[in-house]
Amino acid sequence: AQSVTQLDSHVSVSEGTPVLLRCNYSSSYSPSLFWYVQHPNKGLQLLLKYTSAATLVKGINGFEAEFKKSETSFHLTKPSAHMSDAAEYFCVVSDKSSGGGGADGLTFGKGTHLIIQP
Amino acid sequence: DGGITQSPKYLFRKEGQNVTLSCEQNLNHDAMYWYRQDPGQGLRLIYYSQIVNDFQKGDIAEGYSVSREKKESFPLTVTSAQKNPTAFYLCASRRGGETQYFGPGTRLLVL
């Protein structure tokens, strides 16, 4: 079975400082990993995804994440936070072997609320 | 302008009433999904459909029903059997092995 743990329910940073949102996963096989962002009362937007190519993945809006198999982590980072980054962030793992072909085997983390202080 | 639309944005349900949430996509995606989102819970899968006229239950299907008569449309009905329907409902679609793309959501409230 697969699972994903977002280690912080809330993260607060000052504008212009680095952002780190932590995600650990467990999976029986080589997973695909995603980060989505959700602004209030909106749908989820894909930030980036890892699918067994380069371990450092660059996404939109200056975000990037590094897949570390030895640590089973996929932390999301950004060098300099902007006020518009304030949102909920979800780490998602996809292991088709556990979920079958039907539902993509997606498992969502519970989310990290990113707060940007002016 | 391609994408996924959900309507209405807000929906109110009275006790014992069935309500239907709309999800339409013009992305030519084969697979469509319904998720429920509660505060601090992440997303939970209600139903999904890989092809027209076929759908499967997800993790929390009780109290919900769906249909997939057209490729573009995947409406979700919240029945009176769903005792705690207040939540944010998200529809998503996917083509082949690609990523799921999400609609803007419908917030369901009980009067």
Side-chain angles (χ1 to χ4, degrees):
Chain A
Q2 64 186 21
S3 66
V4 58
T5 302
Q6 292 185 240
L7 297 163
D8 306 291
S9 60
H10 293 78
V11 169
S12 180
V13 302
S14 298
E15 189 175 19
T17 65
V19 174
L20 170 64
L21 305 184
R22 299 182 294 165
C23 173
N24 286 107
Y25 71 92
S26 68
S27 175
S28 302
Y29 298 89
S30 296
S32 295
L33 293 155
F34 308 80
W35 276 99
Y36 283 88
V37 60
Q38 183 182 34
H39 289 91
N41 293 310
K42 301 290 186 184
L44 275 67
Q45 180 185 16
L46 180 69
L47 276 178
L48 50 81
K49 64 180 178 181
Y50 165 79
T51 54
S52 76
T55 56
L56 182 63
V57 182
K58 293 188 183 299
I60 62 171
N61 300 335
F63 284 95
E64 63 181 38
E66 186 172 8
F67 174 71
K68 292 186 176 180
K69 187 175 182 179
S70 61
E71 299 177 10
T72 62
S73 69
F74 190 58
H75 301 334
L76 182 70
T77 60
K78 182 173 180 177
S80 176
H82 191 272
M83 294 300 291
S84 61
D85 295 328
E88 193 84 13
Y89 291 79
F90 292 96
C91 182
V92 182
V93 60
S94 173
D95 177 354
K96 293 182 177 60
S97 63
S98 66
D104 305 340
L106 290 186
T107 300
F108 287 79
K110 294 189 175 183
T112 297
H113 186 59
L114 178 61
I115 300 162
I116 311 296
Q117 306 281 1
Chain B
D1 201 15
I4 305 172
T5 57
Q6 291 186 242
S7 61
K9 187 172 182 178
Y10 295 94
L11 185 58
F12 298 90
R13 193 191 91 163
K14 296 179 181 178
E15 292 287 341
Q17 185 182 39
N18 292 354
V19 292
T20 298
L21 286 61
S22 169
C23 178
E24 304 276 334
Q25 53 98 1
N26 61 5
L27 302 167
N28 199 32
H29 286 178
D30 291 309
M32 297 186 73
Y33 307 80
W34 273 106
Y35 292 91
R36 171 178 171 141
Q37 185 179 23
D38 296 281
Q41 295 286 329
L43 273 67
R44 293 181 289 170
L45 182 65
I46 304 173
Y47 269 97
Y48 64 98
S49 168
Q50 297 287 76
I51 196 169
V52 175
N53 291 323
D54 188 43
F55 48 83
Q56 285 79 41
K57 294 181 179 180
D59 300 320
I60 55 165
E62 186 174 351
Y64 300 96
S65 66
V66 293
S67 63
R68 186 86 187 277
E69 297 177 1
K70 299 187 298 181
K71 188 175 186 178
E72 302 80 19
S73 178
F74 191 41
L76 173 74
T77 296
V78 184
T79 74
S80 57
Q82 173 50 245
K83 298 306 179 188
N84 184 23
T86 298
F88 193 51
Y89 290 86
L90 288 160
C91 178
S93 69
R94 177 182 64 81
R95 180 179 63 200
E98 296 178 9
T99 309
Q100 288 190 20
Y101 293 91
F102 286 81
T106 292
R107 187 164 298 281
L108 177 60
L109 300 165
V110 177
L111 295 177

